[in-house]
Amino acid sequence: METFELRTPRREALVRLTPALAELVARKNWRDGAIVVFCPHTTAGLTVNEDADPDVAADVVDIMARLVPRDPGYRHAEGNSDAHVKTTLVGPSLTLIVAGGQIQLGTWQGVYLCEFDGPRTRKIWVQWLKGE
């Protein structure tokens, strides 16, 4: 398993992971198979979404804040229940196909860490699954 860390910029943000994952695939010379990308945190998750227009990431953060408000009377004493709920909605892991040494994504797609309780230093775990 490979691990890397990144520092998120603010309490809620979508942070691009595609370049870091592509660099890891190239450095490890992974050719054909898949990577499982896992975020071992309960207040941050992972998603694949549009990577061409940064307004999409901002819109995702904005709508999540409206769907799951920060303080509508949650019982959790730490004051970050909204982050836990948002992370449950996006999930902690992705499986991405690698072919010819390239992560296979759609034309407009990119991989993002979804930060909901930052800024923090987050770990990302990546497991290589070799193809046949």
Side-chain angles (χ1 to χ4, degrees):
M1 179 177 71
E2 300 293 321
T3 301
F4 64 91
E5 293 184 347
L6 66 144
R7 181 80 181 158
T8 60
R10 57 191 165 279
R11 184 170 194 275
E12 297 185 337
L14 266 62
V15 179
R16 293 180 73 228
L17 293 182
T18 312
L21 293 171
E23 188 278 328
L24 176 63
V25 167
R27 182 170 42 83
K28 300 299 286 185
N29 198 30
W30 292 335
R31 304 296 302 154
D32 297 296
I35 55 173
V36 177
V37 185
F38 183 79
C39 178
H41 304 282
T42 60
T43 58
L46 299 167
T47 193
V48 172
N49 213 306
E50 181 171 332
D51 198 29
D53 180 354
D55 285 340
V56 173
D59 289 343
V60 169
V61 170
D62 289 346
I63 195 66
M64 290 292 266
R66 284 188 265 160
L67 290 171
V68 185
R70 187 163 183 184
D71 190 20
Y74 299 113
R75 291 183 289 265
H76 182 51
E78 289 182 27
N80 63 351
S81 285
D82 65 311
H84 291 284
V85 173
K86 292 168 187 169
T87 300
T88 297
L89 293 174
V90 299
S93 68
L94 301 168
T95 301
L96 303 169
I97 296 167
V98 176
Q102 302 293 314
I103 299 171
Q104 301 300 293
L105 293 167
T107 302
W108 307 109
Q109 290 181 324
V111 182
Y112 289 89
L113 170 78
C114 303
E115 174 62 78
F116 298 119
D117 193 28
R120 293 180 185 259
T121 299
R122 297 297 193 174
K123 291 181 180 171
I124 302 297
W125 298 346
V126 182
Q127 179 65 52
W128 171 244
L129 305 174
K130 185 176 181 178
E132 294 185 34

